[in-house]
Amino acid sequence: MPAPAGGSRARRPHRFAVWAPDHARVEVEVDGAVHAMRPDPARTGWWTAGVSADPDGSRYGFRLDGGPAHPDPRSARQPDGPDGLSQLVDHTAFHWTAPQWPGRGLAGAVVYELHVGTFTPEGTFDGVAARLPHLRDLGVTHIELMPVCPFPGRHGWGYDGVAPWAVHEPYGGPEGLKRLVDAAHGYGLGVILDVVHNHLGPSGNHLPAYGPYFTDRHQTPWGSAVNLDAPGSDEVRAYFVGSALAWLRDYRIDGLRLDAVHALVDDRALTFLEELAAAVDELAERTGRPLFLVGESDLNDPRLITAREAGGIGLAAQWSDDFHHALHAALTGEGQGYYADFAERPLHAVAKTLTAGWFHDGTWSSFRGRTHGRPLDPARTPAHRLLGYAQTHDQVGNRARGDRLAASLTLERLAAGAALVLLAPFTPMLFMGEEWGATTPWMYFTDHQDPALARAVREGRRREFAEHGWKPEEIPDPQAESTFTDSRLDWSQPQQAGGGHAALLDWYRRLIRLRPLAHGPAEVQYSETDRWLVLRRGELAVGVDLSTGTGPAHELPLPPGTVLAQFPPAVTVLRAHASGAASGR
């Protein structure tokens, strides 16, 4: 619970500071008392004041030119939401039970993406912590939390966050996040946090009141761009770099997933992403822990994940939608929208991504109406720098009704997709509940407090899907409480008789245990006509027959070997007795 005004600890001098370059007078309000601030002679545009305060409880805000108090842009806690006063947080006060955590890098990882609000009925960090034994037993190495920064209302995806240094209070606030990270480390699990630097949400954003955090020099899908290259951008870049480092330092997060980095419009010679990557590497060296960045990008540009010493930006990895799109088209037969490029020859598309990393590497994209991408050199950029997945929050939640693959595919087809994700050369990522074939939808839900914004979001989503033939009444209302509650995982499913959930969960566990035997580049043989594919990696050979259910099963050209796992008749995994090259056709 929030501390009362004035805090509960002994007060001591605290230095308040804020960047407000366009204002003639700045004051800080601390526990109801207003104090004048002075310009900092060492930093242009900064204002400072020394005030007695509770280091772990005082409420405060900044008054600009005599106006009302605004929350601190660098606030670590917003107990009353994004529009309320900030609260001081003493990060040194938390007792870590795993103080010698050595860190866990991304190499060899199996990532598990989850949304705190719908992963458990509690919808809190403590609720997630209680389910960590399930994830440990599954065999994943890292949990990836969708954004946890404050946003108006109680529930949402988190990409409308407006306080990039703070933690959403309904999830458990800063202490709750630390408890979860500490518990995860106790189970040997690393923690990745999804962060958003390309925009802030449409409601509760106080940054423009302080200074030029945004610029009209560039436009993004969310409006004016974050100011990364216009006047004042040095401080804006330092603000977002500082936020990223705070998660890694103060909360002991192991890595960050950067949302839509292609939308970080930046014309400077030293890009923001390079600056951020260098700062994270420096912090890793100081702390002795492996820290890393994973980007979301649709550019198919290998420079993003190429070392800075080799002329790249230096991120550790990036999401790979090409593999997802190819696999989705092969499993489901869908060919609308951006799936069209992959659906023409889906097994060829799967084979190309498995061996070349990307499908679009300078090839024609009908969805974009132009050529797209750049070839990826596996000698410079190993495949583990790409994350591969069959489902993500985007690819499920941005469907009209949030339906997962399990809503339409057979168990055999789900098992085939799992084998290709978990035994591919990429770093695999699962989306919560996928491991047991969860049938609960995961929909787009919001809790906007502004009625006009809520109406605009509702009508906009229905209008978007009406263009694809959906009736308005068929599209779930993002603002409805039921849209949120229906998106929660049903943890009883893995124990239910029938439905195959337990069998699928066991299959995922077995595949993850077999991953160490799959090493080196992929060799692929496939038949588009008969709809089968054989993947060879190191000692493992994986045969997938996607014709099951539509015709007789095929005898796949698997090498001689010992069968290690089967999900008949769709999948066979074996350890080859002798090496032998396979080729596509």
Side-chain angles (χ1 to χ4, degrees):
M1 295 295 292
S8 56
R9 291 185 174 200
R11 301 173 74 85
R12 61 178 185 234
H14 183 88
R15 181 176 178 269
F16 290 89
V18 67
W19 184 61
D22 301 328
H23 297 281
R25 180 162 62 100
V26 180
E27 299 162 307
V28 60
E29 178 183 321
V30 183
D31 297 330
V34 179
H35 306 267
M37 302 187 76
R38 296 179 179 179
D40 186 338
R43 295 192 294 174
T44 302
W46 280 84
W47 298 73
T48 65
V51 179
S52 177
D54 178 344
D56 199 43
S58 280
R59 301 286 187 90
Y60 71 101
F62 297 108
R63 295 174 175 263
L64 308 173
D65 293 328
H70 293 275
D72 181 2
R74 287 171 167 76
S75 167
R77 187 174 185 188
Q78 290 297 122
D80 299 318
D83 291 317
L85 290 177
S86 302
Q87 182 173 318
L88 290 180
V89 173
D90 181 2
H91 288 295
T92 67
F94 185 80
H95 174 67
W96 295 91
T97 62
Q100 303 305 316
W101 171 248
R104 188 154 195 174
L106 196 61
V110 179
V111 181
Y112 188 97
E113 186 192 22
L114 66 89
H115 175 264
V116 173
T118 52
F119 185 60
T120 67
E122 297 84 359
T124 62
F125 296 124
D126 290 338
V128 175
R131 298 290 179 173
L132 291 176
H134 165 84
L135 301 179
R136 175 203 57 195
D137 295 344
L138 176 61
V140 302
T141 63
H142 294 73
I143 59 172
E144 179 176 312
L145 307 177
M146 288 176 61
V148 301
C149 291
F151 52 85
R154 293 191 59 83
H155 51 261
W157 281 19
Y159 296 94
D160 286 338
V162 291
W165 291 59
V167 182
H168 193 49
E169 202 70 17
Y171 289 166
E175 287 264 327
L177 177 57
K178 290 173 185 173
R179 287 195 299 270
L180 171 57
V181 173
D182 195 38
H185 289 169
Y187 285 109
L189 301 174
V191 181
I192 304 170
L193 178 64
D194 196 337
V195 296
V196 183
H197 295 151
N198 52 59
H199 75 287
L200 270 72
S203 178
N205 177 12
H206 290 259
L207 291 186
Y210 285 95
Y213 282 90
F214 299 87
T215 175
D216 290 332
R217 175 181 290 190
H218 310 291
Q219 292 294 312
T220 74
W222 307 281
S224 297
V226 171
N227 179 15
L228 300 177
D229 57 8
S233 58
D234 284 359
E235 289 289 354
V236 177
R237 289 157 72 114
Y239 173 79
F240 284 105
V241 169
S243 166
L245 297 182
W247 297 119
L248 300 170
R249 180 189 62 242
D250 299 334
Y251 295 89
R252 302 194 181 184
I253 301 290
D254 297 281
L256 302 176
R257 183 262 192 187
L258 310 178
D259 181 64
V261 297
H262 51 269
L264 293 169
V265 191
D266 182 1
D267 289 336
R268 292 174 61 165
L270 176 63
T271 67
F272 167 74
L273 280 179
E274 292 174 85
E275 187 176 343
L276 174 60
V280 169
D281 287 348
E282 182 181 339
L283 180 62
E285 186 173 348
R286 289 204 312 268
T287 61
R289 290 190 293 127
L291 305 173
F292 55 87
L293 299 174
V294 178
E296 180 199 19
S297 172
D298 71 351
L299 300 180
N300 283 19
D301 185 349
R303 287 174 291 193
L304 182 70
I305 50 177
T306 298
R308 291 187 303 283
E309 297 79 9
I313 292 175
L315 270 61
Q318 76 157 81
W319 283 26
S320 179
D321 275 352
D322 275 18
F323 175 67
H324 168 272
H325 296 347
L327 183 60
H328 186 92
L331 294 174
T332 67
E334 292 183 11
Q336 73 279 11
Y338 48 64
Y339 293 127
D341 292 342
F342 305 86
E344 185 176 349
R345 290 191 296 158
L347 288 175
H348 164 73
V350 172
K352 181 176 179 181
T353 56
L354 286 170
T355 54
W358 287 319
F359 180 76
H360 285 306
D361 51 8
T363 57
W364 174 258
S365 169
S366 63
F367 176 72
R368 296 174 177 86
R370 58 172 174 81
T371 55
H372 181 65
R374 181 174 182 157
L376 189 153
D377 180 359
R380 298 180 64 192
T381 312
H384 69 76
R385 290 186 177 271
L386 300 177
L387 267 65
Y389 36 81
Q391 301 181 78
T392 70
H393 77 272
D394 269 331
Q395 302 302 338
V396 175
N398 283 324
R399 295 173 69 83
R401 302 179 71 172
D403 51 309
R404 298 166 177 265
L405 288 178
S408 57
L409 298 186
T410 63
L411 278 176
E412 292 76 17
R413 194 64 60 89
L414 294 173
L420 292 177
V421 167
L422 289 168
L423 300 179
F426 312 122
T427 295
M429 184 176 75
L430 311 179
F431 181 57
M432 60 178 195
E434 170 187 340
E435 69 272 23
W436 71 71
T439 55
T440 47
W442 201 77
M443 296 174 279
Y444 180 66
F445 48 84
T446 57
D447 188 26
H448 294 303
Q449 302 301 290
D450 180 347
L453 179 58
R455 182 170 59 254
V457 168
R458 179 187 302 115
E459 294 175 353
R461 189 156 179 89
R462 288 175 174 173
R463 186 166 53 250
E464 174 187 356
F465 285 102
E467 297 174 359
H468 300 283
W470 291 84
K471 297 178 181 179
E473 61 270 19
E474 295 176 323
I475 307 302
D477 178 3
Q479 284 285 118
E481 181 77 13
S482 59
T483 305
F484 166 66
T485 56
D486 290 349
S487 296
R488 288 174 176 155
L489 282 180
D490 179 358
W491 282 88
S492 72
Q493 282 194 321
Q495 289 80 43
Q496 292 174 3
H501 299 296
L504 193 62
L505 177 57
D506 180 66
W507 177 246
Y508 270 80
R509 288 171 174 162
R510 293 165 67 192
L511 291 175
I512 292 174
R513 287 198 298 268
L514 292 174
R515 268 190 60 76
L517 298 178
H519 49 80
E523 300 173 340
V524 180
Q525 190 175 359
Y526 66 93
S527 170
E528 201 76 67
T529 303
D530 294 332
R531 294 185 52 72
W532 56 259
L533 181 146
V534 174
L535 166 66
R536 289 285 304 274
R537 289 192 62 225
E539 301 175 61
L540 283 193
V542 185
V544 172
D545 188 351
L546 297 182
S547 70
T548 58
T550 60
H554 297 91
E555 184 174 347
L556 307 187
L558 288 164
T562 303
V563 174
L564 301 177
Q566 278 188 310
F567 207 104
V571 194
T572 298
V573 182
L574 58 80
R575 186 201 300 259
H577 289 162
S579 62
S583 60
R585 76 170 191 257

